[in-house]
């Protein structure tokens, strides 16, 4: 009898050890999300970041089994929304559309915010997209080519007003870098801060702005409608979606820059929660719905998982510091 008791005890220990080491799926390790999720977008509705976020939210709901609500929190050139995302509870119920501005704002020393978040203040989940800047004017404008615009700016400093985001944002850097590459003072085409590309394009249509340096993707509906004219793209090569639009490099200006967007969680989020979102976002990005949406927009898809996205953000932070210094937009 004692023999069988000892055998039973040994078997029980072995079973418990096996159960303890048996790999469980991430969804079984943590009960996240257990309630609706907020997806913070640091720019206005209608812009590129918002449009991608809303598609991600719809598809993410299917993977997570919880509602995902897009919340636009604008202000401070995107830093208000980023700050809200950075300081949210790391419990998996607040996620963030992290954007290029994270690698830029702290170089600007934007002291109107108590604390400027950087890439280090977030837990990366996935890079989704990269889009180059463009140069857009109203279709009624006298400028038919980029040369026309730059000649005017050089001869009439201060008269052509540009926008696309807040001061020091990625599209502001696009403007400054382009002017510097053309040998024109950065302040010859002043920047008017806006809440995003969508707002700036509307101001362009009514004549309160003259140039928008946001991505051509964000201006495509107006470009296709014949209301906006694209003069150039700041990409390394022409975009197949805009084959007639030349690059700055083709026009003799050695400069290129673009915006990136990805999904991030607050700093301190556990590896288990990150794994849940990594799996879900990976399925979203590979889905036919997402691929078709990005292609039709057209937004460029560039996917990187948590580790790669973290390295990418660190590299972009260093690069933007150099570019901003060269463009003369750092303080």
């Amino acid at each position: 009898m004692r023999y069988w008791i000892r055998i039973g005890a040994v078997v029980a220990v072995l079973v418990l050890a096996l159960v303890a080491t048996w790999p469980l799926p991430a969804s079984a390790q943590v009960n996240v999300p257990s309630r609706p999720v907020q997806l913070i977008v640091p720019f206005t509705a209608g812009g590129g970041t918002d449009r991608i976020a809303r598609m991600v939210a719809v598809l993410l709901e299917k993977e997570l089994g919880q509602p995902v609500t897009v919340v636009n929190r604008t202000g401070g050139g995107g830093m208000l929304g980023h700050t809200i995302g950075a300081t949210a509870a790391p419990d998996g119920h607040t996620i963030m559309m992290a954007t290029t501005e994270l690698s830029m704002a702290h170089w600007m020393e934007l002291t109107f915010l108590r604390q400027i978040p950087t890439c280090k203040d977030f837990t990366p989940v996935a890079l989704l997209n990269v889009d180059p800047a463009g140069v857009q004017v109203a279709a009624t404008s006298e400028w038919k080519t980029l040369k026309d615009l730059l000649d005017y700016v050089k001869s009439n400093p201060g008269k052509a007003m540009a926008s696309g985001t807040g001061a020091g944002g990625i599209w502001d850097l696009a403007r400054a870098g382009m002017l510097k590459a053309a040998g024109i003072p950065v302040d010859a085409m002043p920047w008017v801060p806006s809440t995003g590309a969508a707002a700036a394009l509307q101001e362009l249509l009514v004549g309160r702005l003259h140039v928008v340096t946001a991505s051509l993707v964000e201006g495509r509906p107006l470009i296709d409608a014949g209301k906006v004219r694209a003069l150039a793209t700041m990409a390394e090569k022409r975009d197949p979606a805009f084959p007639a639009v030349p690059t700055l490099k083709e026009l003799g200006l050695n400069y290129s820059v673009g915006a990136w967007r990805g999904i991030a969680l607050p700093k301190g989020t556990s590896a288990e929660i990150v794994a849940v979102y990594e799996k879900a976002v990976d399925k979203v990005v590979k889905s036919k719905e997402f691929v078709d949406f990005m292609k039709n927009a057209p937004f460029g898809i560039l996917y990187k998982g948590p580790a790669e996205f973290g390295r990418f953000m660190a590299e972009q932070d260093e690069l933007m510091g150099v570019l901003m210094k060269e463009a003369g937009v750092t303080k």
Side-chain angles (χ1 to χ4, degrees):
M1 184 67 175
R2 291 178 180 176
Y3 172 80
W4 291 111
I5 291 175
R6 286 198 298 271
I7 291 296
V10 170
V11 171
V13 170
L14 290 175
V15 169
L16 288 173
L18 181 61
V19 170
T21 58
W22 192 268
L24 295 175
S27 58
Q29 294 172 357
V30 290
N31 185 28
V32 172
S34 59
R35 60 178 188 271
V37 175
Q38 284 193 108
L39 173 50
I40 304 295
V41 176
F43 297 105
T44 52
T49 303
D50 178 76
R51 290 168 62 195
I52 293 174
R54 291 182 185 278
M55 176 53 68
V56 169
V58 169
L59 299 176
L60 206 52
E61 284 188 0
K62 300 177 183 178
E63 301 301 329
L64 298 176
Q66 290 289 347
V68 179
T69 303
V70 171
V71 180
N72 298 89
R73 300 302 298 269
T74 64
M79 285 303 101
L80 178 60
H82 280 105
T83 301
I84 292 170
T87 56
D91 60 6
H93 293 95
T94 299
I95 59 178
M96 177 82 209
M97 281 296 288
T99 70
T100 312
E101 282 69 22
L102 273 181
S103 57
M104 300 174 64
H106 67 102
W107 295 108
M108 293 289 292
E109 300 177 10
L110 299 175
T111 55
F112 57 86
L113 288 175
R114 291 181 61 188
Q115 182 180 7
I116 304 298
T118 70
C119 297
K120 297 178 182 178
D121 295 306
F122 288 88
T123 301
V125 175
L127 176 68
L128 303 177
N129 150 262
V130 175
D131 285 311
V135 184
Q136 301 166 72
V137 299
T140 55
S141 168
E142 62 187 84
W143 307 312
K144 308 298 183 185
T145 66
L146 183 66
K147 183 178 183 303
D148 292 340
L149 170 62
L150 296 180
D151 284 347
Y152 177 87
V153 170
K154 191 172 183 179
S155 302
N156 302 273
K159 290 189 176 182
M161 313 297 284
S163 190
T165 187
I170 183 61
W171 306 140
D172 186 7
L173 177 59
R175 168 201 64 102
M178 176 184 69
L179 293 174
K180 187 175 183 296
I184 300 173
V186 171
D187 59 2
M189 186 164 69
W191 189 255
V192 179
S194 66
T195 56
L201 286 163
Q202 291 305 311
E203 293 293 292
L204 182 72
L205 293 182
V206 298
R208 284 193 284 265
L209 288 174
H210 307 97
V211 182
V212 170
T213 50
S215 69
L216 299 184
V217 172
E218 291 171 298
R220 182 171 186 175
L222 295 175
I223 293 172
D224 289 348
K227 295 181 178 181
V228 166
R229 179 183 301 128
L231 301 183
T233 176
M234 302 187 200
E236 291 294 329
K237 58 183 180 180
R238 293 197 185 199
D239 187 333
F242 304 95
V245 181
T247 66
L248 291 190
K249 292 187 176 182
E250 288 180 66
L251 301 174
L253 303 181
N254 187 28
Y255 186 69
S256 61
V257 70
W260 55 263
R261 304 176 178 96
I263 298 293
L265 290 158
K267 185 178 181 179
T269 302
S270 70
E272 291 81 8
I273 293 176
V274 174
V276 170
Y277 277 97
E278 177 188 10
K279 181 179 179 180
V281 173
D282 181 71
K283 288 185 176 181
V284 165
V285 174
K286 292 177 180 177
S287 69
K288 184 178 185 301
E289 295 96 326
F290 185 79
V291 172
D292 288 347
F293 165 78
M294 296 293 277
K295 182 178 179 180
N296 293 332
F299 294 109
I301 297 177
L302 182 59
Y303 178 79
K304 294 180 183 292
E308 283 188 299
F309 186 25
R311 288 192 292 270
F312 174 85
M313 286 198 291
E315 292 167 358
Q316 285 293 304
D317 187 89
E318 183 177 352
L319 174 62
M320 288 301 168
V322 173
L323 288 177
M324 293 173 78
K325 184 176 181 180
E326 290 180 347
V329 296
T330 55
K331 294 186 178 181

